[in-house]
Amino acid sequence: MKKREQSLFKEMKKNYQGYIFMVPLVAGILLLNIVPMVQSLIYSFMDYDMMNKMEWVGFGNYKTMFTIDFKPVLASLNATFLYCIISIPLNMVLSYFLALLLNAKLKGIGIFRTLIYLPCVIPPIASALLWQDMFDPQFGILNRILEIFQLPKSMWLDSPDSALGTMIFMNLWGLGGGMILWLASFKNIPPSLYEAAKIDGASYIVQLFYITVPMTTPIIFYNLLNSMIGGLQVFTSFLMTTSSTLYDNIYFFAVRIYNEAFVSFNMGYASALAWILFMIIALLSLAMFKWNRWVFFGDEN
Amino acid sequence: MKCRAYAIKIIIYFVLCLVTIVFLFPFFFMIMKSFMTQNEAFAQVVQFFPKQLYWKNYSQLFDIQMLNWLKNTLVIVVFNMVVTPISSSFIAFGFAKMRFPFKKVFFTVMMSTVMLPGIVLSIPMYVIYTMLGWTNSALPLIVPCIFGGGALAIFLYVQFMRGISNEIDNAAKIDGAGAFRRYWQICLPLCKAIIIYQVVGIFMGLWNDYTGPLIYINDPEEYTLGLGIYYRYLTGSEAGIDISAGPKMASGVVFSIPPALVFFFFQKQLIEGVNIGSVKG
């Protein structure tokens, strides 16, 4: 045992240079991840406003969340989950279709790809400006267009009934982001599989469900995980609303955390909320890794 | 059979054109409206085209404040674009080309940081930066880049470096070149493709970013362009500024041009970068 320790130490000493390359990484993880995580956990048990109040309240913040504040907190969780449950599958399926279309070997297909991806590269602030104007119930272009086709108008963001739907609709403008990922994953499928299928006379639909989809399951998994982690932190309604139009059903959890922390300076309570969100994300991620038998990880497994 | 393939082609083109028009419509609309006078923008009958280009929407955008915000943004963007590739590749070299005990542990810990939600970290980071006196300055958006630019960036470099043949590296080793020389003079120049990808991504990410500045910067003198436009045109909280549709859209157009241009020029590299990243998902 002692000998093994000694040889490990020797090995470390001999290769000490490798650790020099790890210095910025370790410093970064300590200063930007571990210290803040611990700090925020401690704050979550405190009443802290960054001015003069800083006292230990035990589980007080968590208690508030589940008693006095239960209704708004639950509403925020609901809004966030509902947004994720509708928006994520919708985005994934539609962007997959789009990628299938854009995977066709046609002249000029690159131009279509570029143009459809374009909305993903412009600043969210600019797209918020733009959509806010288009959604205006009175003067907005969308209602004008609906009018031309004699369809019923919508209040878009100006009514609690349509606000969440509008958020989900707006999010579809970014389908290009998912599309690029799918296109990359299609490239990694060995062409021999399709050739074999063609010889067997398999139709396009059969090829799609027996080759393309199974072969891209790792990216589907990766994309689903990422969308979930990102979706639970959705923040867009912050840009699109004012305090009077931030209805309960688009008052996303991350917006609530932001307001508690950086508007009201309830740092302790905000940290507690943030930790709840972290726990939800961690649990759901773990669950996804546990139930990932549908993912095809290649031949080695 | 040939006829059928031809028909399918036409249908695909048709659908793609339709989809593209829908995706581009908001841009078209934004650009057209940015050239409209107030009367045109609020006309009772839908107007898609301005009668003549009303440039005043654009000319009134550029005041000293706006140029100051642009300068603040550029400071942050340029600093990150120069430093991050060095710090990311430095750490990645350790993972890809060096051998030392516990390397896997370092790697696993690094990759697990991806899971930590930004919003949890932002609260203590705000407290730390306030204590350091860094809020209301660009420092919170600049300093972190010396630590490697995030796990995903480093991971990308590791993947890329593993693909670089070890021959030259070994030859240099035999000739007695130290690890740092091998990193700086041999490995780094070969990473050009991934550096371009990263630098372009950093430019777009930071130019477009609003959450960082929103949290750390409250002084109008120190706003970034995005934050300035947000407060000025989206919340309308600045007195004496025309925030009718025309100037609003014009600010959106001007603000979108740099990332759009960068995207058009570097789209090949950007899309190749996605491919490198997706090799091992």
Side-chain angles (χ1 to χ4, degrees), chain A residues 20 24 27 33 47 50 80 86 93 98 107 109 137 152-153 167 186 237 245 248 265:
Chain A
I20 298 176
N33 294 297
D47 191 359
M50 287 188 72
T80 311
I86 300 171
V93 171
L98 213 53
K107 249 190 210 144
I109 200 91
K153 290 201 240 175
M167 286 284 151
F186 293 160
S237 63
T245 56
D248 266 356
F265 287 97

Side-chain angles (χ1 to χ4, degrees), chain A residues 124-143 155-158 166-167 169-170 173 236-243 245-246, chain B residues 26 29-30 33 42 229-236 243-245 248-249 251:
Chain A
I125 299 273
S127 68
L129 277 167
L130 158 70
W131 285 99
Q132 216 182 34
D133 194 89
M134 304 221 301
F135 285 141
D136 190 280
Q138 214 187 338
F139 299 105
I141 193 79
L142 292 178
N143 270 356
M155 290 299 287
W156 302 108
L157 289 169
D158 278 1
T166 306
M167 286 284 151
F169 171 72
M170 200 182 101
W173 204 36
T236 22
S237 63
F238 176 85
L239 285 181
M240 301 297 294
T241 55
T242 60
S243 53
T245 56
L246 187 56
Chain B
F29 166 82
M30 173 162 75
K33 207 159 189 179
F42 288 101
I229 290 177
Y230 167 74
Y231 280 122
R232 190 179 268 193
Y233 291 106
L234 214 57
T235 66
I243 54 161
S244 60
K248 245 187 188 178
M249 293 300 115
S251 74

Side-chain angles (χ1 to χ4, degrees), chain A residues 12 15 19 21 36 39 43 106-107 112 114 117 121 123 126 129-130 133-134 144 173 184 233 238 258 274 278, chain B residues 9 13 20 23 26 29 33 43 90 99 101 117-118 120 124-125 127-128 208 214 230 249 255-256 259 263 267 275:
Chain A
M12 285 171 76
N15 297 300
Y19 297 102
F21 286 93
Q39 219 180 331
Y43 289 159
L106 296 173
K107 249 190 210 144
F112 289 107
T114 306
Y117 188 69
V121 304
L129 277 167
L130 158 70
D133 194 89
M134 304 221 301
R144 297 286 183 80
W173 204 36
Q233 298 179 69
F238 176 85
Y258 175 86
F278 175 49
Chain B
K9 246 185 196 177
Y13 270 125
T20 310
F23 271 78
F29 166 82
K33 207 159 189 179
F90 183 79
R99 291 163 55 107
V120 184
M125 286 320 291
V127 177
I128 294 172
N208 293 356
L214 182 72
Y230 167 74
M249 293 300 115
F255 190 38
S256 304
F263 168 64
Q267 50 173 315
N275 286 332

Side-chain angles (χ1 to χ4, degrees), chain A residues 8 11-12 15 17-29 31-37 39-40 43 48 50 98 101-102 104-110 112-126 128-134 139-142 144-145 148 172-176 180-181 183-185 187-188 219 222 226 229 233 235-236 238-242 254-255 257-258 261-262 265 267 270-271 274-275 277-278 281-282 285 300, chain B residues 9 12-13 15-17 19-20 22-27 29-30 33 41-48 87 89-95 98-103 106-107 109-110 113-131 144 146-148 152 154 178-180 182-183 204 207-211 214-215 218 226-227 229-231 233-234 245 248-249 251-253 255-256 259-260 263-264 267 270-271 274-275 278-281:
Chain A
L8 181 68
E11 185 84 356
M12 285 171 76
N15 297 300
Q17 278 186 323
Y19 297 102
I20 298 176
F21 286 93
M22 296 296 111
V23 169
L25 178 74
V26 173
I29 291 177
L31 295 174
L32 301 175
N33 294 297
I34 295 176
V35 169
M37 275 320 264
Q39 219 180 331
S40 115
Y43 289 159
Y48 179 38
M50 287 188 72
L98 213 53
L101 270 180
L102 287 162
K105 282 182 188 61
L106 296 173
K107 249 190 210 144
I109 200 91
F112 289 107
R113 283 182 199 162
T114 306
L115 293 177
I116 288 175
Y117 188 69
L118 194 58
C120 297
V121 304
I122 73 154
I125 299 273
L129 277 167
L130 158 70
W131 285 99
Q132 216 182 34
D133 194 89
M134 304 221 301
F139 299 105
I141 193 79
L142 292 178
R144 297 286 183 80
I145 292 173
I148 294 172
L172 291 179
W173 204 36
L175 281 183
I180 290 284
L181 274 179
L183 280 172
S185 69
K187 265 198 186 155
N188 291 328
I219 304 290
Y222 168 82
N226 261 350
I229 294 175
Q233 298 179 69
F235 197 63
T236 22
F238 176 85
L239 285 181
M240 301 297 294
T241 55
T242 60
V255 179
I257 295 173
Y258 175 86
F262 302 112
F265 287 97
M267 292 310 206
S271 297
W275 265 84
L277 184 65
F278 175 49
I281 290 175
S285 307
E300 69 262 55
Chain B
K9 246 185 196 177
I12 293 180
Y13 270 125
V15 175
L16 283 179
C17 284
V19 173
T20 310
V22 170
F23 271 78
L24 289 187
F25 175 74
F27 288 119
F29 166 82
M30 173 162 75
K33 207 159 189 179
F42 288 101
Q44 280 304 315
V45 193
V46 200
Q47 273 190 329
F48 285 106
S87 61
S89 59
F90 183 79
I91 295 166
F93 185 85
F95 282 125
M98 304 290 284
R99 291 163 55 107
F100 53 92
F102 302 116
K103 192 163 86 171
F106 283 99
F107 194 75
V109 172
M110 174 183 87
T113 61
V114 176
M115 267 220 338
L116 305 178
I119 189 99
V120 184
L121 297 171
S122 69
I123 297 168
M125 286 320 291
Y126 178 79
V127 177
I128 294 172
Y129 289 141
T130 308
M131 284 172 176
I146 62 175
F147 299 118
L152 290 178
I154 299 167
F180 300 106
R182 276 160 46 218
Y183 156 68
M204 300 223 271
W207 181 273
N208 293 356
D209 179 37
Y210 65 95
T211 45
L214 182 72
I215 291 173
N218 289 310
L227 194 63
I229 290 177
Y230 167 74
Y231 280 122
Y233 291 106
L234 214 57
K248 245 187 188 178
M249 293 300 115
S251 74
V253 172
F255 190 38
S256 304
F263 168 64
F264 280 126
Q267 50 173 315
L270 280 175
I271 288 164
V274 175
N275 286 332
S278 69
V279 171
K280 281 252 151 60

